Amino acid sequence: MFKEFHYHVRGRGHVREGAPVQDRVRFISRGGVQVMCLADGAGSAAHSAIGAQALVDEGCAVLADRFSEFAETTDGVALKMELLELLQTKLRNVATKHAVGVRDLAATFLCVAIADGKFIGMHVGDGVIGYVKSGELRLISRPDNNEFANQTTFVTSSRAVESARLFRGSLENVEGFILMSDGTADSLYDTRTGQLAPACAKLIDAVSHAPASVSKNSKYRKRLKRFMDLKVRTATSDDCSIGVLGRR
């Protein structure tokens, strides 16, 4: 099993503009499956915070309930399309409930689910997913920014299927995973080299070695939140979110 840390914080730019935090990140552990999902709401979408919340809720529920089925599926393309359709259906239902357009809920989506010595993940849009395997920090999925740094693909985009990346593998020698929004990536990912900052491995290690049982206000979590607030958040005007899984 893996320990976890997840956190999102309102960006300095959103504070100045009076805008709400549009990042969301959620973790669940159910039936032997652990799932971390992260979504970054589009700044141009009127209700993207609602969309981001819907995506992390649906992603966690679906991957926890159907992990074994998804892990055994041999057709990766069909699996990617099914997962994306489930997320889009959730957004359509939420849009109907709130009487808004689906594109008003636009957000990116990143996830990692682990169980039975295997992992499954999917990535739509910007943000970064990485892991530590055999002591080496490695990139799993880089940002999709089309041709420009400030443009990306959302779950609601027409090219979401083309953009979406599905990855599956063994947990052998995997020490942990890290997921981050583009705001966090401004500090922890080098777009020029495509490399994760060494701090990512340190964060995974910190989560791995956290006390066995910690509360939401434990010293351990406060220390990690302080790092996000004082180091990561100050390097960007965007919202910042992160999800970390570290092997016990």
Side-chain angles (χ1 to χ4, degrees):
M1 299 294 284
F2 286 66
K3 299 176 186 177
E4 64 82 22
F5 169 75
H6 65 282
Y7 184 58
H8 66 261
V9 62
R10 190 181 181 198
R12 294 181 298 121
H14 284 186
V15 172
R16 288 194 302 269
E17 298 164 4
V21 59
Q22 295 167 321
D23 282 15
R24 292 293 188 276
V25 57
R26 186 180 180 193
F27 169 82
I28 67 169
S29 180
R30 188 166 70 208
V33 183
Q34 296 177 291
V35 188
M36 184 77 75
C37 291
L38 185 153
D40 180 358
S44 58
H47 302 286
S48 63
I50 297 174
Q53 186 65 59
L55 288 175
V56 298
D57 289 345
E58 182 70 2
C60 282
V62 168
L63 286 163
D65 292 342
R66 300 178 62 185
F67 182 91
S68 296
E69 174 191 345
F70 292 158
E72 294 171 3
T73 299
T74 57
D75 190 340
V77 174
L79 174 55
K80 179 180 74 171
M81 294 179 67
E82 180 176 3
L83 282 170
L84 191 58
E85 176 59 28
L86 289 168
L87 295 174
Q88 291 173 337
T89 297
K90 176 69 174 182
L91 291 182
R92 287 194 290 269
N93 292 338
V94 170
T96 299
K97 177 182 177 180
H98 291 274
V100 300
V102 173
R103 291 187 180 275
D104 291 332
L105 306 177
T108 65
F109 180 73
L110 302 84
C111 71
V112 170
I114 53 180
D116 303 324
K118 303 173 184 177
F119 69 86
I120 299 172
M122 192 169 81
H123 184 185
V124 181
D126 55 23
V128 178
I129 303 177
Y131 70 163
V132 173
K133 182 174 183 179
S134 301
E136 181 183 349
L137 181 63
R138 308 181 186 184
L139 181 70
I140 294 179
S141 188
R142 68 181 66 246
D144 174 11
N145 290 117
N146 298 324
E147 297 180 12
F148 305 99
N150 62 344
Q151 294 183 359
T152 191
T153 305
F154 303 106
V155 173
T156 54
S157 300
S158 59
R159 64 181 298 271
V161 172
E162 176 188 347
S163 168
R165 305 165 191 158
L166 178 78
F167 45 90
R168 296 182 286 178
S170 168
L171 287 175
E172 184 176 1
N173 297 321
V174 173
E175 298 159 38
F177 297 87
I178 186 166
L179 300 78
M180 66 188 79
S181 64
D182 63 332
T184 300
D186 285 343
S187 295
L188 300 180
Y189 175 74
D190 190 329
T191 56
R192 295 170 300 172
T193 64
Q195 293 184 332
L196 291 161
C200 294
K202 294 180 180 179
L203 287 168
I204 291 172
D205 185 68
V207 172
S208 297
H209 290 88
S213 178
V214 294
S215 68
K216 290 183 179 179
N217 294 315
S218 67
K219 290 182 180 179
Y220 145 73
R221 290 190 182 276
K222 286 181 178 179
R223 187 166 60 251
L224 292 178
K225 289 179 180 179
R226 191 177 304 116
F227 170 79
M228 290 292 294
D229 291 339
L230 300 181
K231 298 293 185 180
V232 174
R233 181 176 178 268
T234 56
T236 180
S237 62
D238 201 0
D239 293 337
C240 297
S241 56
I242 193 168
V244 183
L245 295 166
R247 190 186 288 273
R248 294 181 186 274

